[in-house]
Amino acid sequence: MQRRLLLSTVLALTALSAGAESPVVRPYAPPPASRIGGLMHISIVDRTNGAELPVYRHRGEYWVAGRPGARYAIRARNAMGERVMAVMSVDGVNVVTGETAGIGQNGYVFGPRERSDITGWRKSDSQIAAFEFAASGNSYASRTGRPDDVGVIGVAMFRERRPEPPPPVVTPYPSRDEYNGGLDRERRSEVPPSMGDARAKAAPPAGNADMAAESSAGAMARQSAPSPSLGTAHGRRETSYVGKTTFERASSQPDEVIRIRYDSRENLVAAGVIPMPQRWPRPSGPSPFPGSDPGYVPDPPARY
């Protein structure tokens, strides 16, 4: 390691002494994140290679680039020390029930610090149909007559209502009685507190108000989109077990909502969501390096 550092120093000093221009310093661009969220950390995973897809922020929205035909998962990790319920939707459809998504519907309950990959549409307690990127016309939402919200993944998170503590037990003050001979004797009351009063029952669960589905966000304009927009297909059946539990929400409104939009990489580049890679400017007239791009020496061709 020390030899390489010394060599780099010698090369740098040689270039400066020869009058070479210092490289152009570009402003630092932070790399795209892969997980977003506060109560839960949400990411989209390409199941082909297990990598979390980069999340690009563009005009106040989050985007990921999918590959047609690739299976993916919604990875969720509970960042809290308590249970959290996540109502998930893909293309405006609830991933558990198949209903047009609403925040008052069923979802998945995550234990403290628990992480899980939601890999498809829930078909039963033991099976799912895999999430798979496909042309929007082949998406499950479009095939079931709901194409307006294709291209978006949503997660609404709810904290759990904590039971109210029972009221404190009130012990009567001791009474003083007088007996014969003028002797005062102090006798404490031995009446036991009512166990039924001490263990107050929690308030009955408040009914969830019927919530109207959120209005459609509208599709991104793609006048020059180089490829068809993406949706999520109803993929092949896979084994995935799930159990049932009870969960009382602390509020009828979600504590946090995450929205991630997606499309093909070509469309996101064309829309300006993914920045174009930097290339050398092509000079007018003949160029001394017509086939050069910034980079390093490529591998040689394979031997035959």
Side-chain angles (χ1 to χ4, degrees), residues 18 35 48 65 108 129 149-150 154 157 159 164 172 189 206 238 253 275:
R35 303 173 186 176
T48 304
Y108 290 103
D149 298 295
V150 171
M157 287 159 274
R159 292 178 182 269
E164 297 181 2
S189 173
E238 297 179 1
Q253 295 297 321

Side-chain angles (χ1 to χ4, degrees), residues 233-250:
H234 186 273
R236 67 183 183 185
R237 297 289 186 100
E238 297 179 1
T239 300
S240 174
Y241 292 98
V242 69
K244 291 183 173 65
T245 186
T246 58
F247 187 93
E248 184 179 357
R249 309 176 196 212

Side-chain angles (χ1 to χ4, degrees), residues 61 63 147-152 215-222 259 261:
E61 295 197 278
W63 293 85
D148 294 339
D149 298 295
V150 171
V152 63
S215 58
S216 169
M220 179 181 62
R222 305 185 185 92
R259 175 172 119 154
R261 301 181 67 179

